[in-house]
Amino acid sequence: MNSMNDIINDLKNKFNPINVDVVNERQFAIDVENEELHTILAYLKAQGWRQLTLLTCIDWIKENKFQLVYIIYNWENPITINVRTKIERDNPKFRTIVSIYPGAEFYERDVHEFFGVEFEGNERSTKPLFLELWDDIPPLRKDFDPLAYSKKKFDVRDYKVDFIPKEGEAE
Amino acid sequence: MKRELKLFLGPNHPGMHGNFSVHLYVDGDIVEKARPLPGMLHRGFEKLMERRLWMNNLALIPRICVPEPDINEMVYAMGIETLAKIEVPERAHWIRMLILEMARVAIHMMSFGGIGGPTGLYTGPNWAISDRDLILDIFEAITGARIYHMYIVPGGVRKDLPDGIEKKIEKLMDDIERRLPEYEDLILRNPVMEKRLKAAAPLSAEVCWELGVTGIGLRSTTGEPYDIRKVEPYARYDQVEFDVPVHKGVSYAYDRLSMKFEEIKQSIRIIRQVLDKMPKEGPIRAKISRGSALRWRVPKGQVYSHVESSRGDYGYFIVSDGENKPYRIAVRGASYPQGLLGIEKYLPGTRLEDVAIWLDTMGVCSPEIDR
């Protein structure tokens, strides 16, 4: 099982992917149902995709969905696979993958902090990591407005200009 | 009764690039518990990128990792080129390699000398920073800037190399190579450093796989040349010869440091081949609706583009919805696994003075963690 087509065919035979997108000759993305994600990740890990490169989230606000993206890499057969699944945007919850890829622990905390997705089974997934004393909706959601937040949070400050440019100097 | 003592390492520490705090719970001088506390310099790069035009982001991304800004430009450009199916001209590929390898020498110099911070050997950084500065001079001549070059752009590079720069680079590489034995004497063969580093901050292959550690960490334990330049060559790395230094078994700080030293030699070897094999003339940038950066759009799609940084696999996950701004960009900082989980899981049991040595030899660069 070396070429990318073989891998895709193998995955199509063993699982029920919703869709497969070929990105380039060394990368493809596979969309799966929520229930199948853990099985497919465990299967791919056993096949040599031992490294979890990144776990991230995309806010598809128009669809009212979050898309979780698990990027995994195989150093022996250098193919990147982006395993993706969509979850509901309201009260988002998903099962952790820490038992498959222990390195996901902090990525899950990251996604929780910036998108508000709670990972069940990861005890510390809701513990603050980056944003100390944050008191608004998670900031990487599309409906978070940084300008409104800073207006609400900080007073308008008057700036005093005490530099008087001489002739020929830039203002 | 045992007393628990909590110590703060950082946010500012000579062994660390950037502000990054670690809370250490110690018993005597043995670490019992370590908690990383990023968020000291959170600048919200990912959100900022969503709010700027594709071309505007070029000025923002080099700031994600200050000591090695060029890899950010490279992964960003590579991602857009994949999505928009842009063919990069041949000469641009070689110029990109030249820039990336010089950047690698510069950051390895910085961290090779940087070990002087946690160990107290301050001659190391003094020498290394001054030699690194000479590389920055070359960057200034090529790009007009010393640190934030904004030189590698989607479709190629921003402008051609200035006349006669090849000779200057050649001379600088000869000079640096001549200096390397002195560095070896000063740092690697220094009895104090050997004593401090040879049994410090151990890392095993199982831990690397568990955490997702890449780069020198992974290569120094598995004995395999796991380097993206080798296994998945980008630019024209498949047309140059170089070796990837490896080491098998448990790696200690000393092994990782000496591998950085070997990598400097290999980068110099690559730079010489690039100067030799590079097409002497030709286009350096593909035409991509120049002059209308405000209206420029990238076709819909998602891509993870990655390169081998000096600290391992470094990449951007880029999502485009076909508009003039990125829909989402996620940064995969190479120091994420070893900087967060690594600190928490594998620092307990080590001595207090070895904490900064772990941070330094694992190449933890805090802006990559809290983008």
Side-chain angles (χ1 to χ4, degrees), chain B residues 27-39:
Chain B
D27 177 19
D29 55 2
I30 303 291
V31 177
E32 293 213 313
K33 203 162 79 176
R35 291 280 174 270
L37 212 82

Side-chain angles (χ1 to χ4, degrees), chain B residues 350-368:
Chain B
T350 61
R351 291 167 70 89
L352 183 57
E353 68 266 24
D354 292 346
V355 174
I357 292 177
W358 167 284
L359 293 172
D360 192 87
T361 56
M362 292 303 293
V364 180
C365 178
S366 52
E368 278 175 9

Side-chain angles (χ1 to χ4, degrees), chain A residues 27 57 59 76 124 142, chain B residues 226 232 304 327-328 344:
Chain A
Q27 186 176 148
C57 179
D59 180 6
E76 296 299 329
R124 298 197 302 160
K142 287 284 175 188
Chain B
Y226 289 141
E232 198 183 339
Y304 176 70
Y327 190 76
R328 164 115 175 92
E344 198 171 284

Side-chain angles (χ1 to χ4, degrees), chain B residues 74-356:
Chain B
M74 185 67 181
V75 287
Y76 186 67
M78 276 168 58
I80 291 176
E81 282 151 14
T82 309
L83 288 176
K85 299 196 170 47
I86 300 168
E87 281 285 327
V88 178
E90 184 66 16
R91 185 169 155 82
H93 277 305
W94 291 88
I95 297 178
R96 282 177 171 188
M97 271 167 70
L98 190 68
I99 298 290
L100 290 174
E101 289 310 310
M102 282 203 297
R104 192 182 311 274
V105 176
I107 189 171
H108 275 331
M109 277 280 178
M110 199 173 174
S111 58
F112 191 62
I115 196 72
T119 53
L121 178 80
Y122 288 109
T123 319
N126 289 349
W127 285 14
I129 295 294
S130 66
D131 274 353
R132 178 179 185 265
D133 229 41
L134 299 174
I135 300 177
L136 301 191
D137 285 346
I138 301 276
F139 278 135
E140 194 176 3
I142 297 177
T143 68
R146 294 178 76 77
I147 303 288
Y148 304 126
H149 309 132
M150 297 162 228
Y151 184 65
I152 299 174
V153 294
V157 291
R158 187 155 47 83
K159 55 182 184 179
D160 212 335
L161 296 177
D163 288 340
I165 197 75
E166 288 92 344
K167 282 257 152 52
K168 283 185 189 160
I169 298 174
E170 249 174 59
K171 186 176 173 302
L172 178 62
M173 290 304 130
D174 291 346
D175 287 349
I176 290 179
E177 202 173 50
R178 210 171 307 126
R179 291 267 281 160
L180 289 180
E182 292 180 34
Y183 278 104
E184 208 172 349
D185 268 353
L186 175 74
I187 298 167
L188 289 178
R189 294 221 195 102
N190 184 329
V192 177
M193 297 291 270
E194 287 191 357
K195 259 214 150 117
R196 283 295 307 278
L197 302 180
K198 275 206 165 152
L203 180 76
S204 67
E206 293 76 51
V207 172
C208 285
W209 288 121
E210 189 187 328
L211 302 184
V213 172
T214 52
I216 286 177
L218 188 62
R219 293 197 289 275
S220 65
T221 53
T222 54
E224 300 287 339
Y226 289 141
D227 185 316
I228 295 179
R229 292 175 297 170
K230 273 277 184 225
V231 300
E232 198 183 339
Y234 48 95
R236 289 291 175 263
Y237 279 107
D238 49 346
Q239 294 177 28
V240 288
E241 283 176 16
F242 64 101
D243 299 317
V244 179
V246 291
H247 176 85
K248 203 165 169 57
V250 175
S251 89
Y252 292 95
Y254 190 84
D255 306 312
R256 301 195 287 271
L257 192 69
S258 53
M259 280 174 67
K260 285 186 185 179
F261 186 69
E262 290 303 314
E263 287 202 354
I264 296 178
K265 291 182 187 167
Q266 295 302 325
S267 289
I268 295 176
R269 195 174 154 198
I270 297 175
I271 292 171
R272 288 201 177 116
Q273 291 178 59
V274 171
L275 291 173
D276 189 37
K277 292 185 175 175
M278 181 163 63
K280 298 297 168 230
E281 51 198 21
I284 45 112
R285 192 172 177 187
K287 265 203 168 358
I288 41 163
S289 65
R290 220 174 296 169
S292 58
L294 293 173
R295 293 194 301 274
W296 189 54
R297 285 158 202 273
V298 170
K300 259 187 199 177
Q302 302 186 2
V303 64
Y304 176 70
S305 70
H306 60 160
V307 298
E308 184 72 26
S309 77
S310 67
R311 298 171 304 284
D313 184 359
Y314 188 96
Y316 279 12
F317 179 67
I318 302 176
V319 182
S320 171
D321 62 344
E323 285 302 314
N324 58 0
K325 292 180 188 130
Y327 190 76
R328 164 115 175 92
I329 294 186
V331 180
R332 196 267 181 187
S335 27
Y336 205 106
Q338 57 258 44
L340 293 177
L341 204 56
I343 284 176
E344 198 171 284
K345 280 203 164 170
Y346 300 101
L347 281 187
T350 61
R351 291 167 70 89
L352 183 57
E353 68 266 24
D354 292 346
V355 174

Side-chain angles (χ1 to χ4, degrees), chain A residues 23-24 26-27 29 50-54 56-62 67 69 71 73 75-76 78-80 82 84 101-107 109-110 114-115 124 127 129-132 139-147, chain B residues 35-40 42 46-47 50-51 82 209-215 218 224 226-228 231-233 302-306 308 313 317 319-321 326-328 330-333 336-337 340-341 344-345 369-371:
Chain A
V23 180
N24 59 26
R26 289 182 191 276
Q27 186 176 148
R50 290 177 75 180
Q51 181 194 314
L52 174 76
T53 300
L54 181 68
T56 190
C57 179
I58 310 165
D59 180 6
W60 295 110
I61 190 163
K62 283 181 195 156
Q67 187 171 37
V69 186
I71 302 173
Y73 192 62
W75 284 96
E76 296 299 329
I79 287 174
T80 307
N82 307 337
R84 307 182 295 205
Y101 291 103
E105 187 179 331
F106 274 82
Y107 287 119
R109 277 174 78 174
D110 185 311
F114 292 120
F115 291 92
R124 298 197 302 160
K127 216 172 163 213
L129 182 65
F130 295 108
L131 308 170
E132 220 172 333
L140 275 175
R141 286 188 182 190
K142 287 284 175 188
D143 49 357
F144 170 72
D145 184 349
L147 185 64
Chain B
R35 291 280 174 270
L37 212 82
M40 300 289 159
H42 191 75
E46 292 181 354
K47 188 81 178 174
E50 289 173 14
R51 297 160 63 82
T82 309
W209 288 121
E210 189 187 328
L211 302 184
V213 172
T214 52
L218 188 62
E224 300 287 339
Y226 289 141
D227 185 316
I228 295 179
V231 300
E232 198 183 339
Q302 302 186 2
V303 64
Y304 176 70
S305 70
H306 60 160
E308 184 72 26
D313 184 359
F317 179 67
V319 182
S320 171
D321 62 344
Y327 190 76
R328 164 115 175 92
V331 180
R332 196 267 181 187
Y336 205 106
L340 293 177
L341 204 56
E344 198 171 284
K345 280 203 164 170
I369 297 172
D370 55 319
R371 284 87 52 190

